[in-house]
Amino acid sequence: MSNTIFKKLGLLFLVLVLSVVMAACSEDETTTTDANTNSDNGSANTETEESSGLSGEITVWAHPYTDGSTGEGDMWKTFASDFEAETGVKVNFEQIPWANRDQKILTALAAGQGPDVFYVIPDQMPQYAEQQLILDISQYVTDEELSGFVPTAIEATSWKGKQYGMPILQTAESLIYNKNILTELGVDENSLPTTWDEFKALAEKAKAAGYYAFSYAGGGSLNNTLYPFLWQAGGNVIDEDNNILINKPEAVKSFELINEMYTKGWIPQDSITALDHDSLYFGGKLLAVNGSGISVNRLLAEKPFDFVIAPPLKDAEQLTYGTVGMFVGSAISKNPEAAAEFMKYVTNTDNQRTFNNITQYIPTRDEAKDIFDSQQYMAQLAEYTQYAKPGIIHPEGRNIMPLVQAEIQAMLEGKQSPQEAADKSADAIDKLINK
């Protein structure tokens, strides 16, 4: 019996158990809830309901995207009230913490409770889709409605040919160089490396001058370390049909590059298990890092040195990492049409301008990127979302990472070759998906 079937049976058992528990709740509470629901469908919004074809209410869960001092709460109140005015559907909004969000969402859905709409990222989406926890919105959204989004954002919100999410935010990482070091090395900031070979040449110059060329945080996420190089080489880890690709020649090139950077001293000695090299970078000891909008905002605030952003590197392809945030619908929603409509509403161009101006993430619609017209660096990163892949989109994406990470660490310790590290990674992934 396949792993997917086991997961579905396990989820069904959890639903049955929690249903028994929920049945023990008082009938008074159920009656009150039903009464409130009926009152929300009253005559006050009859004209709007008739024009939109929607009615009732939905519950939306989202997380805090700022520190709370930017008007984020008022934004959600406005979104909810405007959507109700347009459609007649009441929106019950709840902000939930980031901590333990998976557990909270899964428990609520298994109990037949929880939100109609909630926020996820790409490594959660395929898990939920495989377990039939989220709504396939392909029937509610047209190709024309999706046409205004950045293609990489749509890639991140679909699985096996079905559309599950509507993307609202995106990030893109690219090389951020210390201009002081570039000047010392005699490098024109307008002629920075665009290929692996050009970067290698500059890395050698930086090392000769007493600097590290790059930050490789071997104890951190592969999204920020291995994967960008792997994609640039034309490789991948695994596809949606469970074909393992990480030990193919294209992918092995990324293992070889990382090994070369370490053995030649282009990256710090602790790169095997480091979580970050912020102190080295902000201390002026690193030529470049892969950074996002968070990095830019910190550099602008602390001003340790002048910097310049270069486009993502290219080997076989020009690609980088960037996450995508999306709203998905619950598969158990009693109002799926309204849920899908809200997902489209909150990610339309105007609302993306509002949301991303407040949160300082990059809109997933090209038209909304004009919010950064006066912000040089964010505008530059927004341009690079066309190259940004959101990690490995697969139900086991999160669980694959530590397996590969362990083999890379062993490679950097000199215990195995890049090919051996890739082969052992492939074996470990095969055991994981076929357990």
Side-chain angles (χ1 to χ4, degrees):
M1 187 176 291
S2 70
N3 187 39
T4 300
I5 293 175
F6 276 124
K7 288 181 179 178
K8 291 181 179 178
L9 289 176
L11 178 65
L12 178 59
F13 176 75
L14 179 58
V15 171
L16 291 173
V17 171
L18 289 174
S19 296
V20 172
V21 174
M22 295 303 297
C25 296
S26 68
E27 293 185 2
D28 289 341
E29 184 177 353
T30 303
T31 303
T32 302
T33 302
D34 290 343
N36 289 337
T37 301
N38 290 336
S39 66
D40 291 333
N41 292 329
S43 59
N45 292 319
T46 299
E47 184 176 341
T48 303
E49 291 168 11
E50 289 177 352
S51 61
S52 70
L54 302 174
S55 62
E57 63 183 84
I58 57 171
T59 297
V60 176
W61 284 3
H63 308 289
Y65 302 94
T66 69
D67 62 5
S69 62
T70 58
E72 186 178 352
D74 290 337
M75 172 191 74
W76 285 112
K77 289 178 182 177
T78 300
F79 285 168
S81 62
D82 287 354
F83 184 73
E84 182 174 3
E86 290 182 18
T87 65
V89 177
K90 180 182 178 182
V91 177
N92 302 306
F93 176 78
E94 181 180 346
Q95 189 175 80
I96 66 171
W98 291 101
N100 301 317
R101 62 190 186 278
D102 275 336
Q103 180 181 358
K104 181 178 178 67
I105 291 169
L106 289 172
T107 300
L109 296 181
Q113 306 295 311
D116 298 273
V117 175
F118 58 101
Y119 178 89
V120 302
I121 54 177
D123 65 357
Q124 294 172 298
M125 181 271 295
Q127 299 178 53
Y128 293 163
E130 287 292 296
Q131 295 177 10
Q132 299 181 1
L133 293 174
I134 55 177
L135 188 66
D136 172 11
I137 61 170
S138 303
Q139 60 187 310
Y140 301 113
V141 60
T142 66
D143 290 342
E144 183 179 357
E145 289 173 319
L146 295 176
S147 64
F149 289 94
V150 179
T152 53
I154 296 301
E155 175 190 349
T157 55
S158 59
W159 175 246
K160 293 186 176 179
K162 297 179 180 180
Q163 190 69 32
Y164 286 99
M166 294 295 289
I168 192 167
L169 66 84
Q170 196 165 10
T171 66
E173 293 190 355
S174 202
L175 287 169
I176 305 178
Y177 287 87
N178 183 323
K179 286 178 65 172
N180 298 345
I181 299 177
L182 290 175
T183 300
E184 183 179 338
L185 298 178
V187 177
D188 183 353
E189 66 178 79
N190 296 310
S191 301
L192 293 172
T194 60
T195 67
W196 281 15
D197 287 341
E198 290 172 356
F199 184 78
K200 288 180 183 182
L202 182 56
E204 196 63 48
K205 291 183 67 173
K207 180 60 180 176
Y211 299 103
Y212 293 112
F214 190 66
S215 169
Y216 185 87
S221 169
L222 296 183
N223 287 332
N224 313 106
T225 53
L226 172 71
Y227 289 167
F229 294 125
L230 185 148
W231 298 323
Q232 289 165 9
N236 210 331
V237 175
I238 189 172
D239 64 20
E240 62 184 25
D241 296 320
N242 284 344
N243 296 307
I244 299 172
L245 309 171
I246 197 168
N247 61 339
K248 301 299 181 184
E250 300 84 0
V252 174
K253 288 183 66 177
S254 63
F255 285 75
E256 292 171 342
L257 176 62
I258 293 166
N259 196 55
E260 181 181 8
M261 288 196 296
Y262 187 71
T263 57
K264 290 186 175 180
W266 299 342
I267 56 179
Q269 295 91 334
D270 67 350
S271 293
I272 296 175
T273 57
L275 291 176
D276 63 59
H277 290 121
D278 281 358
S279 60
L280 285 175
Y281 183 57
F282 285 85
K285 300 297 184 182
L286 277 168
L287 171 65
V289 296
N290 258 335
S292 64
I294 294 174
S295 311
V296 166
N297 289 330
R298 183 176 173 188
L299 284 168
L300 291 173
E302 299 184 17
K303 297 180 173 60
F305 49 76
D306 291 333
F307 64 93
V308 60
I309 304 176
L313 290 175
K314 177 181 180 180
D315 186 49
E317 299 182 53
Q318 185 178 20
L319 292 168
T320 187
Y321 168 73
T323 193
V324 172
M326 73 190 84
F327 284 101
V328 298
S330 165
I332 61 171
S333 172
K334 296 178 180 178
N335 203 350
E337 294 87 353
E341 193 63 30
F342 181 81
M343 291 159 59
K344 292 191 289 184
Y345 164 80
V346 80
T347 58
N348 69 31
T349 300
D350 287 340
N351 288 334
Q352 281 212 29
R353 285 191 179 106
T354 300
F355 178 92
N356 289 293
N357 189 51
I358 288 175
T359 63
Q360 285 294 286
Y361 286 103
I362 300 171
T364 57
R365 287 182 178 272
D366 282 321
E367 288 185 0
K369 290 180 180 179
D370 58 6
I371 62 172
F372 295 131
D373 281 353
S374 62
Q375 299 182 46
Q376 172 190 350
Y377 300 112
M378 287 303 297
Q380 192 173 356
L381 290 175
E383 180 184 345
Y384 298 153
T385 58
Q386 63 182 305
Y387 308 119
K389 292 178 70 68
I392 303 305
I393 303 178
H394 189 275
E396 295 289 356
R398 289 187 179 184
N399 297 324
I400 284 171
M401 279 197 187
L403 303 178
V404 179
Q405 191 176 59
E407 300 305 333
I408 292 177
Q409 290 171 348
M411 177 188 73
L412 296 182
E413 290 171 351
K415 297 178 180 178
Q416 58 190 11
S417 70
Q419 183 67 62
E420 289 170 333
D423 286 338
K424 290 183 179 180
S425 296
D427 289 341
I429 295 170
D430 182 64
K431 291 176 182 177
L432 173 68
I433 63 177
N434 291 303
K435 62 184 177 182

